[in-house]
Amino acid sequence: MNRPQLLAIAATAIWLAGCGSDPAPTQYGPNPDLPHPSRGLLPSMTIAKPEGWGDRRPTVPAGYQVTAIATDLKIPRQTLVLPNGDILVAEGKGGGDATVKRPKDMIAGYLKKKGTSSVKGGDRLTLLRDSDGDGVYDGRTVFAENLNAPYGLALVGNELYVANQDALVRFDYRPGQTRRSGPPVVVAKLPAEINHHWTKALAASADGRTLFVGIGSNSNIGERGMAVEEERAMVWRVDARTGAHRRYATGLRNPTALAIQPGSNQLWAVVNERDELGPNLVPDYLTSVRQGAFYGWPYAYWGPNPDRRVRPFKEDMVGQAVRPDYSLQSHTAPLGLAFSAPAMGGPFADGVFIGLHGSWNREKPVGYKVIFVPFRGGRPSGAPVDFVTGFQADGKTFGRPVGVTVDPRGALIVADDLSNTIWRVTPTSARAAEPAVASR
Amino acid sequence: MDLAHTSSARLRVLHPVHAVLLAGMLPLFLGALLGDWAYSNNFDVQWINFAAWLNAGAMVFAGGALLWAGVDFLRRDVARDGRSTLFVLSLVATFVIGFVAALQHAKDAGATMPGALIFSVLTLLLAAVSVWLGFSTLRSGAGR
């Protein structure tokens, strides 16, 4: 072992000893440690302190480079790579109508707001274009505006689907188009009352006939009453043609990103679990979503572990709760999910990228990075690997990753809603960026 | 009360505004307790929301009453005795326990119980003692 390594280990040891109250247990993978619920008089909290990037850049593994391909956006959340290489960015921020019910909501709202961008949500789709394939996105147009907190995006043939916070809408799309050709058509109304968790995640089935929509709960753990949780905390399957919907899976507290596994029609989701049970509960997770399954919220977590904060409590629901596949550690706040492609290179070719927005409900922050969960035989296998880091340093926070999208030509697109930037990570090795195929 | 004190120093009086602050917290803390009791019976969240706001309102009054009593207590020209010390201490206790009750009410849904109810009972009792001590120890602002 060389000296820098020893120094690094010593430094880490001192640093770990220094931050006492909430050391992270082994909480990645299929069998996370689940400590007893604990919450003092105040929940443990560390709110991000935003700071400009300056000369800093996110850190990527050796053999990769990162560039900012768009800045000064208005709360970029999710992105979509179109067949010709153009990138659509959904910008917006919803949940503004969620009412203050208690003194606590006022105080917590004020504190959490300090860790986010002060820019107003754009309520629009911005299109980014690299016209000569040199990796510089020189074209930028507003594809559509006056939307209502757009979030989930999916393209099926010539139809572009956008999940606003209150409705699933559709635009016609021809390859090369830079501006919508008509007003959005409403495919289906989505549950929008209160919208405590407002993001509506979206994925299209392999055949394009079904749209999966993720709908978050209207509270942390039912503190707004269970009446407002009708049709919340679940995934809907919407018929793309008729707009008719059915419940696909329930008990998913806040399914913030959905993706269909290439080569199969399996739906996967990342889910933000409940807060205020301590720094190491409840693990946020990645899971394949089984049709008809109940994933626990609000009555149970990580399988049949009861959460008796819910009143009235339904004992019979605890036993029905399904265990998710893969823990991403408590409070990391996964908001982006994308299956990789061979062009991402060697160790990152088979698996999923996950954008972790980062914690508030623990003293030592976690998340604030993009990780890669390797897959083998179509299932998560092994520990996650850091892919993009450096969003936090010296107690300052420069960015917060949200949506991640894989460009099959060999790039990961990361939306950062704190610095309002789109980052693009590409392999530096030989494989020159193929010129974007254009029908422009 | 010992009248000897009143002859040597300025009469220790209860200012009307201080009286309002003191008495005003009583129905608010009582309301918070009733809200907690209702929530613990039917788990309709609106009751615990009421309780949280009533407690917060009561704490504004309790804070004002405590501040006033504290300033009075430190004034050189106003007489001090055991009961006025007790009065200030009981207001301090009301404020501290009331604040703990506020934190209990800031938990989510059923996590408030039974803490919120227990601390609402304690706060109401302390508030009642403070009001009793305040009004029985101090003369009305009208003097005699």
Side-chain angles (χ1 to χ4, degrees):
Chain A
M1 196 177 284
N2 59 26
R3 217 168 134 206
Q5 262 180 324
L6 276 173
L7 277 175
I9 289 168
T12 311
I14 291 164
W15 172 73
L16 280 176
C19 57
S21 67
D22 49 23
T26 322
Q27 242 188 357
Y28 283 106
N31 296 303
D33 290 345
L34 300 174
H36 286 292
S38 68
R39 182 213 195 262
L41 267 179
L42 282 167
S44 46
M45 263 177 121
T46 299
I47 304 295
K49 288 189 188 68
E51 175 85 18
W53 280 97
D55 292 333
R56 289 173 187 264
R57 284 292 169 268
T59 312
V60 292
Y64 291 83
Q65 60 184 4
V66 58
T67 49
I69 58 168
T71 55
D72 297 316
L73 291 161
K74 295 182 172 177
I75 317 294
R77 285 288 197 146
Q78 297 290 337
T79 56
L80 177 69
V81 177
L82 297 166
N84 68 345
D86 289 352
I87 297 168
L88 267 181
V89 185
E91 299 163 80
K93 188 174 199 169
D97 294 338
T99 49
V100 167
K101 290 275 187 181
R102 303 166 294 171
K104 176 224 189 130
D105 300 331
M106 234 159 63
I107 297 162
Y110 169 77
L111 290 176
K112 287 183 202 171
K113 208 172 176 178
K114 296 205 320 196
T116 63
S117 167
S118 57
V119 171
K120 197 173 170 295
D123 286 336
R124 65 182 185 186
L125 303 182
T126 293
L127 184 135
L128 307 174
R129 170 171 291 177
D130 173 8
S131 54
D132 52 6
D134 63 354
V136 178
Y137 282 70
D138 41 10
R140 178 164 161 178
T141 53
V142 174
F143 186 87
E145 66 284 87
N146 299 324
L147 299 171
N148 184 2
Y151 186 81
L153 300 170
L155 182 72
V156 177
N158 288 330
E159 286 168 337
L160 172 68
Y161 292 91
V162 180
N164 286 329
Q165 68 168 334
D166 63 342
L168 177 62
V169 301
R170 182 179 67 217
F171 291 97
D172 290 332
Y173 173 80
R174 283 170 293 102
Q177 199 172 334
T178 58
R179 169 95 188 130
R180 65 175 173 79
S181 48
V185 176
V186 174
V187 178
K189 288 270 181 203
L190 300 176
E193 193 197 348
I194 301 176
N195 264 355
H196 176 97
H197 289 126
W198 61 271
T199 60
K200 298 297 193 290
L202 183 62
S205 64
D207 63 9
R209 282 153 65 174
T210 303
L211 296 160
F212 296 100
V213 181
I215 302 156
S217 68
N218 252 336
S219 64
N220 176 33
I221 189 63
E223 70 275 11
R224 290 175 187 271
M226 290 309 289
V228 299
E229 303 296 349
E230 275 296 311
E231 299 302 317
R232 306 296 302 216
M234 60 179 66
V235 172
W236 274 9
R237 52 173 300 167
V238 178
D239 185 308
R241 199 172 46 82
T242 65
H245 73 263
R246 272 188 294 156
R247 294 177 183 178
Y248 186 72
T250 59
L252 299 148
R253 179 174 173 275
N254 193 13
T256 48
L258 304 174
I260 296 290
Q261 191 166 15
S264 74
N265 200 16
Q266 178 62 53
L267 177 70
W268 289 75
V270 287
V271 176
N272 286 209
E273 260 291 356
R274 65 207 74 194
D275 296 316
E276 298 194 32
L277 286 179
N280 297 314
L281 278 182
V282 168
D284 295 339
Y285 58 83
L286 163 74
T287 194
S288 55
V289 183
R290 286 156 50 182
Q291 183 164 10
F294 169 67
Y295 285 83
W297 193 89
Y299 303 102
Y301 58 87
W302 205 268
N305 296 289
D307 186 343
R308 297 185 191 281
R309 292 178 296 175
V310 190
R311 304 289 170 84
F313 193 73
K314 290 185 182 171
E315 208 66 53
D316 58 316
M317 296 301 282
V318 175
Q320 296 178 28
V322 168
R323 277 169 66 108
D325 292 339
Y326 191 95
S327 162
L328 298 169
Q329 193 181 348
S330 303
H331 308 301
T332 51
L335 295 185
L337 172 66
F339 278 91
S340 191
M344 286 309 295
F348 300 106
D350 186 12
V352 291
F353 292 98
I354 295 172
L356 302 175
H357 200 232
S359 63
W360 66 265
N361 188 199
R362 70 202 311 285
E363 246 150 65
K364 182 173 163 284
V366 290
Y368 297 95
K369 61 185 175 183
V370 177
I371 58 169
F372 177 79
V373 175
F375 271 45
R376 191 179 299 159
R379 308 285 304 169
S381 166
V385 183
D386 286 352
F387 191 68
V388 192
T389 58
F391 289 91
Q392 258 189 345
D394 311 326
K396 303 275 171 55
T397 303
F398 312 105
R400 301 185 75 171
V402 191
V404 291
T405 308
V406 171
D407 183 338
R409 294 161 191 77
L412 182 72
I413 310 299
V414 180
D416 169 352
D417 74 349
L418 181 62
S419 69
N420 291 307
T421 304
I422 301 294
W423 301 100
R424 182 170 181 263
V425 185
T426 48
T428 46
S429 53
R431 200 185 309 103
E434 292 166 21
V437 189
S439 47
R440 289 168 180 160
Chain B
M1 212 182 128
D2 189 355
L3 287 177
H5 279 93
T6 60
S7 55
S8 61
R10 263 184 67 187
L11 189 67
R12 198 173 174 83
V13 296
L14 185 61
H15 190 282
V17 175
H18 193 185
V20 167
L21 291 172
L22 200 54
M25 68 181 178
L26 209 54
L28 292 170
F29 278 132
L30 176 64
L33 171 59
L34 292 175
D36 288 337
W37 180 74
Y39 178 70
S40 69
N41 275 304
N42 62 20
F43 294 115
D44 185 331
V45 285
Q46 202 66 319
W47 287 117
I48 197 79
N49 293 342
F50 282 154
W53 284 109
L54 287 166
N55 169 276
M59 286 298 285
V60 172
F61 281 78
L66 172 60
L67 197 66
W68 201 303
V71 170
D72 263 1
F73 189 72
L74 297 176
R75 274 171 61 177
R76 290 245 174 92
D77 59 337
V78 181
R80 233 180 258 177
D81 61 13
R83 292 196 74 177
S84 62
T85 309
L86 204 60
F87 172 56
V88 174
L89 287 179
S90 110
L91 272 174
V92 169
T94 307
F95 191 81
V96 170
I97 300 301
F99 186 68
V100 175
L103 295 180
Q104 295 289 346
H105 284 91
K107 293 184 177 179
D108 285 339
T112 52
M113 288 295 145
L117 183 58
I118 292 168
F119 278 90
S120 281
V121 171
L122 293 176
T123 315
L124 180 65
L125 289 175
L126 287 165
V129 168
S130 303
V131 172
W132 184 271
L133 288 171
F135 279 87
S136 64
T137 308
L138 309 179
R139 299 291 174 268
S140 156
R144 2 166 109 188

